[in-house]
Amino acid sequence: MRRVVVYPGRIAVETAEVPAPGPNEALVRTLAVGVCGSDLHAARGSHPFVPLPYRPGHEVVGVIEAAGPAAGAWTPGQRVIVEPDLPCWTCKMCTSGRENLCENLQFFGCGYAQGGMADYFTVAANRLHPVPDVLDDHTAALIEPLSTPVHAVRLAGDVAGRSVAVLGAGTIGLLTLAVLRAHGAGMVVSTDPNLAKRERAAALGAGATIDARSPDVAGQVRQVLGGSADIVFDCVSVQSSLDQAIAIADKGGTVMVVGVPAREVTVPLPIVQDHQIRIQGSATYLPPDYAESADLLRRGAVRAADFVTAVRPLAQVAEAFELASSGQHVKVLVSVGEPTQVRG
Ligand SMILES: [Zn+2]
Ligand SMILES: [Zn+2]
């Protein structure tokens, strides 16, 4: 079988043995897999937790080929999506229903021995979710990336009617915007330095968009919102975006840190304390977030046509990474096997 390996400065498609499932695992044949912003970080060597080389692919849809004797009742042919967190299930976080924060967490497709950019892979079967029949493969590939903002919006609390800013209109920023709209948020302002991305945000329902490079971004956002934001989603997580987020949330607001920071940033702690600003990290997702994502996609609250802007076959995976890095695309998918007919 073919398997993608990312080396410093090079993305290779290599030949490997089809893996055999362990007792608790399933063997999955890949259908489609997304290129994530974190894959681009990792390929550049700038992901804080993914050393090179690595085997990418965590936004993966496939078909059950076989399952180990203790893997549960899986039928070959069942379409599945991977929940790529690989928790230990025994630590304090795992035993309190927060396995996304597992103290011994491994992550399929991010520093793990296998990823989904391969013809086949094996993974713990309890990390698989059946894909609803009505979702086509490309739509199903959005369940994982959509679950990240679903989780962040859930952690932020009730967003209905609230004034919100979303910093960054890349994939996660746009998906966050879509989730906020589905949850009945009030005015949502999007910022991004890229005009095409701001136009996408406007088309997806942002009440206003602001160039993230313009002077006094925070002042402009506050002017549009008529005051501070109740919640700011920082989907960029660099020094300038965090500074803007705190200024927009000031006073008394919440800053959700959703983007993966490539490096440490400085926090104006006197302001955070004195102005009672809440800074809340958000890390991946839990099964209820997967369920809500599938539901949002089924209801059409998020449409694959708005997000999947390019698809390349596995043999052209390097081009898929280039396209994803270009700033011209929202979600780039790699198609691996023959697409499944949608039955719904
Ligand atoms: Zn991802
Ligand atoms: Zn654990």
Side-chain angles (χ1 to χ4, degrees), residues 36-38 58-59 144-145 331:
C36 178
S38 63
H58 61 272
E59 303 179 355
E144 189 275 349
K331 176 55 68 184

Side-chain angles (χ1 to χ4, degrees), residues 34-39 58-59 84 107 110 144-145 148 172 285 331:
V35 180
C36 178
S38 63
D39 289 312
H58 61 272
E59 303 179 355
F107 204 89
C110 285
E144 189 275 349
T148 293
I172 291 296
Y285 27 64
K331 176 55 68 184

Side-chain angles (χ1 to χ4, degrees), residues 86-106:
L86 303 173
C88 74
W89 302 110
T90 60
C91 74
K92 177 181 171 183
M93 292 295 114
C94 283
T95 53
S96 60
R98 290 180 287 173
E99 66 267 18
N100 61 318
L101 305 179
C102 170
E103 293 164 10
N104 309 296
L105 189 66
Q106 292 190 283

Side-chain angles (χ1 to χ4, degrees), residues 92-155:
K92 177 181 171 183
M93 292 295 114
C94 283
T95 53
S96 60
R98 290 180 287 173
E99 66 267 18
N100 61 318
L101 305 179
C102 170
E103 293 164 10
N104 309 296
L105 189 66
Q106 292 190 283
F107 204 89
F108 181 82
C110 285
Y112 184 64
Q114 295 189 65
M117 289 193 190
D119 286 313
Y120 297 90
F121 60 87
T122 55
V123 69
N126 64 3
R127 301 286 75 201
L128 299 173
H129 298 261
V131 172
D133 286 348
V134 292
L135 301 185
D136 64 30
D137 298 341
H138 292 178
T139 304
L142 293 177
I143 292 175
E144 189 275 349
L146 180 56
S147 295
T148 293
V150 163
H151 185 73
V153 169
R154 186 155 64 84
L155 284 181

Side-chain angles (χ1 to χ4, degrees), residues 172-238:
I172 291 296
L174 292 174
L175 289 170
T176 300
L177 173 61
V179 175
L180 287 165
R181 298 263 302 158
H183 282 242
M187 178 71 161
V188 182
V189 180
S190 278
T191 72
D192 199 278
N194 180 310
L195 174 62
K197 291 183 179 181
R198 293 200 300 278
E199 287 173 348
R200 282 206 180 93
L204 289 169
T209 63
I210 287 165
D211 186 340
R213 292 163 309 185
S214 59
D216 194 21
V217 171
Q220 290 188 54
V221 172
R222 294 172 69 99
Q223 190 172 20
V224 173
L225 291 175
S228 65
D230 298 313
I231 311 158
V232 183
F233 291 83
D234 185 354
C235 302
V236 185
S237 297
V238 298

